[in-house]
Amino acid sequence: MTSSQTIVADRLAHATSELSPAVTPNTPAGVTLPCTHCGLPTHCEAGTHPEQVFCCAGCLGAYQLIHGWGLEDFYALRDQMKLTGAAQAAGRANRYEQFDQADFLGPSKPVALNDGTCRAEFAIHGLHCGACAWLIENAAAREPGLLSARVKMSDHTIGIVFDPAEIRLSQVARLLDRLGYGLAPIDPQRDDQVQQENRRLLIQIAIAGFFAANAMWIAIALYAGDYSGVEAEHRYFLGLIGTALGVAAVAGPGRTFFVGALASLRTWTPHMDLPVALGLSVGTLVGSANAIAGRGHVYFDSLATLVFFLLIGRWIQFRQQQRAARAVDLMLRITPRHASLVVAETDQAVESEKIVLVDTLQLGDIIRVAAGEHVPADGQVVQGRSNIDRSLLTGESQPMPVCSGDAVAAGTINLTSPIDVQVTATGRESRIGRVMQSVEAAATEKTPIVQLADRIGGVFVVAVTLLALVTFAYWSQVSLATATAHATALLIVACPCALALATPLAIAVGLGRAAKRNILIRDGQALQQLSGRGVMWFDKTGTLTEGRQRVSTLQGSIEGLRLAAGVEASCRHPVAQAIVLDARRRGLTLPISARLDRVANSGVVGEAEQQTIFVGNRQHLEQHGIVIEAELHRRLEQLAANGESPILIAVGGVVITLLGLSDPLRCGALEMVAELGRRGWSMGILSGDHPQIVSGVAQQLGLAPERCFGGLSPEEKLAAIRESRHVRQTVAMVGDGANDAAALAAADVGIALRGGAEVSLQAAPVFIASGQLSSLVTLLRGAKATTRLVLLNFALSLGYNLVAVGLAMAGWISPLIAALLMPLSSVSVLALTLAWRSFEETAASQSQASGALGERV
Amino acid sequence: MSVLYVALPLAILLGAAALLACIRCIRSGQYDDLETPAVRMLIDDKKTESPQ
């Protein structure tokens, strides 16, 4: 028993509490590698095979399952898709029984098919890219009884066909859960409007395309006829048919521009639809009159093509926005939708549990929250004691102990043991619901910035109309007919098709490219605002730091760590997890005969290798009669001054190890701060965490301490943002907690990082799905490039229009020049937009991932 | 050249038939998801032996 001898020797050596200073200060012989399954940076020993790194048991389980099926290609495919999304395998496999109950399923209830099989459709969470769809579909093919599974990436649903005699839905749900995907019944209020709108837009494009293509070949026949000679009778016929097509294009799919123009006239807000509608109507009227009269130019080909191009631009924009909005929507389901209701039986002694929808909970109901679950509603603990992770609400990195009588809030996580909660508020009335409401309020108080293109569009209409009048007045000295011809030529040729395309197209392409870089942008305005410089506020927990406790200092015996890890192995508390992780990282073999005896709020008591182990803070050890000497006190205070939380480990009644726990900086944080500083952004921290910890982080990052605030409530954060908005600069907020939601909405640009709470996404127009801080730099660069592109497009299309208007006023516009200028301006804007390089890889993100799918857009 | 009076409406009719087919496709939902099918056809043929 060499190990027990070592313990005795250790204990003797430390009997006088002389802890050897910092055996291994920060990082031991270890490296940080991405987890093979989810890509989360994980500390492991040097020399570990890069494909054998797992951050948690869930990822290891998913990896083994995938290997067992021979589906290793998933990883290659996923890496090719270049996504490091964390497929979070939640350990709630036993929560799927209700999938066999019809009233739980609602609209997802299986429909029996003729051949005895059933079909059902579900919403699925955790999809990242095509590799996920492939994995699910292939895994389903290997499961007996599951006949087919078809994933729809666009709306995150899955349609399955199964044999009810062979497999139950709960088994399907469990299978997908093991792979890291959550299944949920389709929301009854799921809006099919988006799908309907998408189809409607596509049909409009198809119709406009049909008219444009046919008008085009008739136009070719006419132009060819002008050169090689054509009978007047045929020319008249072609002109008439072509005009009919052009008018149909304007009256059919082009109607939407007239609707928009009317609306903008009614509200007196300038809009791009206005000049477009003006150009279209003048072109249609004059073209039709000319066609019927059989003289002059007919503009039908330009009209049809214009409608076609503009509709395509609209559809691209619609799709990109929907994509971002949907991703945000999917992330919003943070509070669980089901609760386990405790029903008292008639004899009052027996209790049973029933799974119910949260919406049906009544005030005063008692619900049971198992360890590791989200609390579904606000309430008061009536039975049990546990620790609650409230980082979602308050940003505190330390868990809060609760016992009978304490209040708990919806959305927080119950960490250690089951508790019974009496419901005091649900849904919008709960604390998180109220935060969401203040988000909505903060979002509406912003003054909407009218898009530059729309403003120009308004000016444009006035200017063009005035110029047309001037032209008419000037040429009427010659003859009335000439004046009319030149003025209408001006009105048509000045139709700002390129101008109308310029902004939406550039922004839509920018949004699409950003999405390929895992940056989802809901609102194109954000790009405009991020292109300059301003103030950027950061949340601390989960944004600048990892949001997870990690052992950063170890003083004294490493044996203490080993024994403590053995005792804590079965505990879900973050401190316990940090201790176990650190022991694994140091390659320690955990004692086999370890037992966890008691879990208190301040620490644990257990037994390992026939010795009693105490792990906890000072109070915990003193409660159990362990003497803490003056020297140790000094060390404890020193650790606290460094922003670390001290944890003591006592073996057999003597303290042998002192651990300092802290929340380390995320990788890339230092580089990001440096790069933002170079770009002229001023930065600060708004955190709910302890001010001492915040100033520690600020010091590490080199941020000015007067801009870093700790101990803020959500309301105080909001106030800080509002205050900084008085300065005429863009105010951006980067965060991921629910406590940031109001601040994210109040800032000019809210940027939500994944990895923390996803509630903030509703408030933030920008969502960085990769969760990497380097994406922030990519975002800023891309925003600048996109804004430049918009301005360049403007210059280009305005240049065309200026030349065209000049020519028309001089009376030089021949039908050929008009026909050349109009499509050429649109095409050049299109070409420039597609060739423009925005959202390039930054050096930092390049080093992080090797694949490059995003090159093509 | 009077064949034009037959050929042109005929060509437009043929185009219109294609347009109707396209609209039917859109209505039936074939264009709802433009991402998954692209990936599916790329990879499926590698491992098709399904136990069922």
Side-chain angles (χ1 to χ4, degrees):
Chain A
M1 284 282 127
T2 44
S3 59
S4 63
Q5 281 165 359
T6 335
I7 301 165
V8 175
D10 271 342
R11 210 189 299 169
L12 285 173
H14 298 291
T16 50
S17 270
E18 274 191 11
L19 298 171
S20 58
V23 174
T24 34
N26 259 330
T27 34
V31 283
T32 302
L33 288 173
C35 168
T36 309
H37 182 71
C38 72
L40 195 76
T42 309
H43 285 285
C44 56
E45 280 176 81
T48 311
H49 194 270
E51 284 182 13
Q52 299 295 330
V53 180
F54 297 100
C55 63
C56 64
C59 284
L60 180 61
Y63 178 83
Q64 285 167 343
L65 194 65
I66 289 165
H67 262 262
W69 275 322
L71 295 176
E72 297 87 346
D73 286 358
F74 165 70
Y75 293 104
L77 181 67
R78 182 200 58 188
D79 292 345
Q80 183 194 332
M81 295 295 184
K82 225 192 99 203
L83 276 158
T84 54
Q88 285 151 355
R92 39 170 204 278
N94 54 345
R95 300 273 299 155
Y96 286 106
E97 296 304 330
Q98 64 268 34
F99 271 82
D100 298 327
Q101 301 164 4
D103 52 346
F104 166 82
L105 293 172
S108 289
K109 215 172 91 177
V111 183
L113 302 178
N114 291 335
D115 55 350
T117 58
C118 282
R119 188 172 58 204
E121 205 184 353
F122 289 96
I124 187 160
H125 304 281
L127 288 182
H128 298 293
C129 63
C132 293
W134 178 82
L135 177 67
I136 292 170
E137 291 178 7
N138 277 280
R142 281 160 174 75
E143 186 72 16
L146 194 52
L147 301 178
S148 91
R150 277 286 182 256
V151 175
K152 264 196 200 171
M153 287 296 291
S154 57
D155 53 357
H156 289 239
T157 57
I158 180 170
I160 56 171
V161 178
F162 65 102
D163 186 350
E166 275 195 70
I167 194 165
R168 281 177 298 135
L169 277 174
S170 56
Q171 288 171 297
V172 178
R174 209 165 291 144
L175 170 80
L176 292 175
D177 183 73
R178 279 181 75 194
L179 289 171
Y181 304 102
L183 212 56
I186 289 172
D187 198 335
Q189 297 122 22
R190 184 177 74 137
D191 54 343
D192 289 325
Q193 284 171 352
V194 173
Q195 199 175 37
Q196 292 300 327
E197 176 68 8
N198 186 40
R199 288 186 188 172
R200 198 187 63 80
L201 280 174
L202 278 174
I203 289 175
Q204 299 291 310
I205 290 175
I207 296 172
F210 166 77
F211 287 132
N214 284 295
M216 209 60 107
W217 62 256
I218 293 177
I220 289 173
L222 273 181
Y223 290 132
D226 281 343
Y227 283 99
S228 57
V230 63
E231 277 177 49
E233 182 195 358
H234 291 146
R235 195 188 140 80
Y236 183 68
F237 177 67
L238 284 173
L240 221 52
I241 296 275
T243 306
L245 289 170
V247 169
V250 172
R255 213 174 37 221
T256 164
F257 300 106
F258 291 98
V259 174
L262 269 181
S264 88
L265 268 184
R266 224 174 284 141
T267 54
W268 286 109
T269 43
H271 193 269
M272 212 60 202
D273 280 349
L274 209 55
V276 171
L278 186 69
L280 282 180
S281 45
V282 172
T284 311
L285 288 177
V286 177
S288 313
N290 284 352
I292 291 165
R295 58 175 164 74
H297 190 62
V298 283
Y299 301 97
F300 59 82
D301 50 334
S302 301
L303 297 175
T305 331
L306 174 59
V307 171
F308 181 52
F309 276 156
L310 287 175
L311 284 177
I312 289 181
R314 271 198 186 186
W315 178 72
I316 292 177
Q317 206 182 5
F318 170 80
R319 244 173 74 84
Q320 297 297 354
Q321 278 172 351
Q322 281 313 314
R323 202 177 170 151
R326 186 174 294 280
V328 169
D329 202 45
L330 279 168
M331 294 293 171
L332 262 174
R333 305 170 190 284
I334 197 74
T335 51
R337 295 174 55 208
H338 302 100
S340 160
L341 182 68
V342 179
V343 189
E345 298 289 327
T346 38
D347 57 3
Q348 294 292 318
V350 194
E351 287 176 342
S352 65
E353 285 178 46
K354 197 170 81 172
I355 304 278
V356 295
L357 287 169
V358 170
D359 304 338
T360 62
L361 283 179
Q362 303 288 322
L363 296 192
D365 278 353
I366 310 267
I367 48 175
R368 185 158 293 161
V369 185
E373 278 182 8
H374 286 275
V375 179
D378 280 7
Q380 209 171 20
V381 180
V382 288
Q383 204 185 331
R385 11 171 87 239
S386 180
N387 284 289
I388 299 279
D389 179 354
R390 304 202 305 168
S391 58
L392 183 77
L393 264 176
T394 61
E396 277 165 51
S397 47
Q398 304 280 344
M400 277 280 296
V402 292
C403 60
S404 191
D406 286 343
V408 289
T412 55
I413 308 166
N414 178 20
L415 290 173
T416 37
S417 53
I419 47 173
D420 284 2
V421 176
Q422 184 161 34
V423 176
T424 55
T426 58
R428 289 178 77 81
E429 296 306 310
S430 66
R431 191 165 162 198
I432 198 153
R434 285 202 302 274
V435 171
M436 299 305 296
Q437 282 178 21
S438 69
V439 166
E440 284 160 24
T444 48
E445 90 180 21
K446 260 194 289 193
T447 48
I449 300 169
V450 185
Q451 292 245 320
L452 184 59
D454 287 343
R455 278 209 305 264
I456 290 187
V459 177
F460 201 84
V461 177
V462 180
V464 165
T465 318
L466 283 178
L467 284 176
L469 285 177
V470 169
T471 312
F472 186 81
Y474 178 79
W475 287 99
S476 59
Q477 294 162 356
V478 181
S479 83
L480 210 62
T482 324
T484 321
H486 288 340
T488 39
L490 184 141
L491 279 175
I492 291 158
V493 90
C495 175
C497 47
L499 201 61
L501 265 177
T503 324
L505 199 71
I507 286 184
V509 169
L511 298 190
R513 288 189 182 161
K516 294 262 175 190
R517 300 261 175 274
N518 280 334
I519 304 168
L520 299 168
I521 303 167
R522 202 181 52 200
D523 184 354
Q525 266 179 31
L527 286 177
Q528 209 176 325
Q529 287 166 329
L530 286 173
S531 60
R533 52 183 60 178
V535 189
M536 196 169 289
W537 294 104
F538 292 94
D539 171 50
K540 185 189 74 74
T541 313
T543 303
L544 292 173
T545 65
E546 287 184 3
R548 284 203 300 184
Q549 296 285 324
R550 185 158 289 169
V551 176
S552 47
T553 310
L554 187 146
Q555 296 183 6
S557 162
I558 201 162
E559 181 65 18
L561 176 70
R562 192 178 76 88
L563 293 172
V567 169
E568 300 258 38
S570 60
C571 188
R572 282 184 58 93
H573 193 283
V575 170
Q577 287 176 339
I579 290 176
V580 175
L581 190 76
D582 195 54
R584 292 237 169 91
R585 194 181 62 173
R586 289 170 199 264
L588 301 177
T589 327
L590 300 192
I592 308 153
S593 61
R595 197 176 71 226
L596 185 65
D597 289 335
R598 245 171 306 147
V599 184
N601 293 330
S602 49
V604 299
V605 185
E607 202 180 289
E609 292 177 351
Q610 290 87 45
Q611 300 175 85
T612 316
I613 317 281
F614 295 91
V615 185
N617 62 14
R618 212 186 74 198
Q619 289 85 351
H620 177 68
L621 267 69
E622 279 174 345
Q623 268 169 20
H624 290 88
I626 295 165
V627 186
I628 292 167
E629 294 177 8
E631 162 69 9
L632 204 52
H633 270 294
R634 202 183 55 76
R635 285 175 187 277
L636 287 176
E637 275 157 25
Q638 204 180 338
L639 277 179
N642 287 347
E644 295 178 70
S645 337
I647 294 290
L648 296 159
I649 301 169
V651 178
V654 179
V655 177
I656 65 164
T657 310
L658 173 59
L659 299 177
L661 266 65
S662 65
D663 188 3
L665 282 185
R666 294 184 55 184
C667 62
L670 275 171
E671 293 85 344
M672 187 263 315
V673 167
E675 177 66 25
L676 257 63
R678 264 199 298 280
R679 295 184 158 260
W681 285 80
S682 40
M683 287 162 279
I685 300 178
L686 300 175
S687 174
D689 217 338
H690 196 274
Q692 212 170 26
I693 298 177
V694 173
S695 67
V697 170
Q699 204 180 352
Q700 287 180 57
L701 286 169
L703 296 176
E706 66 271 14
R707 281 189 170 276
C708 299
F709 306 100
L712 300 181
S713 68
E715 293 77 19
E716 285 169 327
K717 284 190 178 188
L718 187 64
I721 296 275
R722 285 207 178 118
E723 205 172 310
S724 55
R725 280 184 69 185
H726 290 311
V727 195
R728 283 174 57 86
Q729 277 183 309
T730 300
V731 177
M733 169 83 201
V734 187
D736 63 354
N739 57 327
D740 298 332
L744 284 172
D748 294 328
V749 185
I751 302 169
L753 275 176
R754 188 221 196 109
E758 276 114 4
V759 187
S760 44
L761 300 177
Q762 195 180 46
V766 183
F767 168 41
I768 297 182
S770 67
Q772 282 170 1
L773 288 168
S774 61
S775 297
L776 212 55
V777 178
T778 314
L779 170 69
L780 292 183
R781 284 194 187 164
K784 196 158 197 166
T786 307
T787 311
R788 268 199 206 139
L789 173 64
V790 169
L791 292 177
L792 202 65
N793 273 347
F794 266 147
L796 201 70
S797 50
L798 275 178
Y800 270 113
N801 276 317
L802 277 181
V803 171
V805 167
L807 289 176
M809 286 180 78
W812 290 349
I813 282 282
S814 71
L816 191 68
I817 292 178
L820 267 178
L821 273 178
M822 283 184 71
L824 206 65
S825 59
S826 306
V827 167
S828 57
V829 163
L830 263 171
L832 183 69
T833 305
L834 293 179
W836 192 257
R837 299 170 87 79
S838 57
F839 284 97
E840 294 289 297
E841 297 258 316
T842 58
S845 57
Q846 248 165 10
S847 64
Q848 272 165 9
S850 48
L853 182 90
E855 287 308 315
R856 56 185 178 90
V857 174
Chain B
M1 277 293 267
S2 54
V3 69
L4 197 66
Y5 296 110
V6 183
L8 203 149
L10 205 63
I12 289 182
L13 274 180
L14 280 175
L19 175 68
L20 284 180
C22 180
I23 291 175
R24 265 191 69 148
C25 289
I26 296 171
R27 288 239 167 92
S28 72
Q30 286 190 34
Y31 286 81
D32 289 350
D33 184 5
L34 301 176
E35 290 155 58
T36 333
V39 181
R40 199 177 283 148
M41 60 78 83
L42 270 179
I43 310 136
D44 255 354
D45 55 347
K46 213 169 163 191
K47 290 194 166 124
T48 39
E49 20 55 285
S50 101
Q52 286 292 304

